Amino acid sequence: MSTLQRTRLAALQRTAGQQLKASFGGPWWRRSSRILLLLTGFFIGSNLTVHLDNATGARTFSAFFALLACELLVLIRRRYPLLDSLRLGFIYAVVLEAFKVGS
């Protein structure tokens, strides 16, 4: 018997734990590839915004190209579900760069 009562918060914690366990479960190569794709997405996202800003000279174009790359990753993820980690790392890097710039 569980020590938690049957509340909505307990159900939310249970489902979040099951999803986290499922995402990090499986063979070692799947876990390591997800982590590598997450870090690769972060690297691409942080470098893409800086280089596009220097190349175009306008932040709006670099934000547009970052949004376009993110939407392409959303379209591709149906065929390759591991690319979802790449997209998450990319979005995290772009948001972090936006906080650094102050926009």
Side-chain angles (χ1 to χ4, degrees):
M1 183 166 179
S2 175
T3 59
L4 292 175
Q5 296 177 355
R6 293 183 185 214
T7 61
R8 286 183 289 194
L9 180 61
L12 181 67
Q13 287 176 342
R14 191 177 316 109
T15 56
Q18 288 171 351
Q19 288 176 356
L20 189 64
K21 186 177 178 181
S23 66
F24 285 111
W28 65 269
W29 57 269
R30 186 173 294 156
R31 288 191 303 256
S32 62
S33 64
R34 282 184 180 149
I35 291 171
L36 285 174
L37 282 171
L38 184 76
L39 292 173
T40 303
F42 182 79
F43 180 74
I44 290 171
S46 63
N47 286 328
L48 181 74
T49 54
V50 171
H51 290 302
L52 283 176
D53 189 27
N54 290 335
T56 60
R59 289 184 192 165
T60 49
F61 287 121
S62 64
F64 173 72
F65 288 128
L67 177 69
L68 187 67
C70 183
E71 290 298 323
L72 287 175
L73 285 173
V74 168
L75 289 175
I76 294 172
R77 80 173 178 175
R78 292 185 180 151
R79 180 170 283 175
Y80 304 107
L82 280 177
L83 288 182
D84 205 25
S85 297
L86 182 78
R87 182 179 62 93
L88 288 175
F90 180 78
I91 290 173
Y92 181 72
V94 170
V95 168
L96 188 66
E97 289 291 326
F99 277 125
K100 283 196 271 186
V101 171
S103 61

